[in-house]
Amino acid sequence: MSEFLLERQWYAVSPDGERAELILGIAAPVKDHLDWGCTVSLGILDSHPSRIYGVDSWHAVQQAMLFIARRVTHFSEAGWLFYWDKDGGPASPADLIGSGLCQLT
């Protein structure tokens, strides 16, 4: 069983041609003192998990999803390519939050 409440599996190709499965994950929100926080994993893109906070659990998950989408956008702009799976079509950072819902910048 995964440690993540939410998980997206993609396939990634680095700018130097390395290919690997990419697992993006968000752990269930937990109340930390006064705020709610989610641990976020960017898989092979960043080996250090991040903690993203919100005013309530819903907001923490929203902020975590936006954080991942922004970081994946950064990697995409740096030359990384993303696919739905190893033999699948191209995936976009906007696919992580749904088109038209909000801007990544």
Side-chain angles (χ1 to χ4, degrees):
M1 188 163 144
S2 172
E3 65 185 276
F4 302 119
L5 172 67
L6 304 169
E7 191 174 273
R8 171 66 44 99
Q9 293 183 12
W10 275 358
Y11 193 75
V13 180
S14 72
D16 63 2
E18 268 188 66
R19 301 168 181 273
E21 182 178 50
L22 169 63
I23 299 173
L24 304 168
I26 301 172
V30 175
K31 192 161 188 173
D32 226 351
H33 304 287
L34 299 176
D35 293 321
W36 286 82
C38 295
T39 299
V40 172
S41 171
L42 294 171
I44 62 168
L45 300 177
D46 187 349
S47 61
H48 303 305
S50 298
R51 187 94 168 136
I52 306 300
Y53 288 92
V55 295
D56 58 22
S57 59
W58 186 288
H59 188 236
V61 170
Q62 283 181 315
Q63 293 301 105
M65 292 179 80
L66 286 171
F67 173 81
I68 289 174
R70 287 182 183 118
R71 294 294 292 136
V72 171
T73 297
H74 168 80
F75 282 93
S76 179
E77 290 170 351
W80 284 75
L81 301 174
F82 301 103
Y83 300 91
W84 286 103
D85 56 42
K86 188 174 183 178
D87 299 318
S92 163
D95 294 329
L96 295 168
I97 57 170
S99 62
L101 293 179
C102 55
Q103 294 182 332
L104 297 179
T105 57

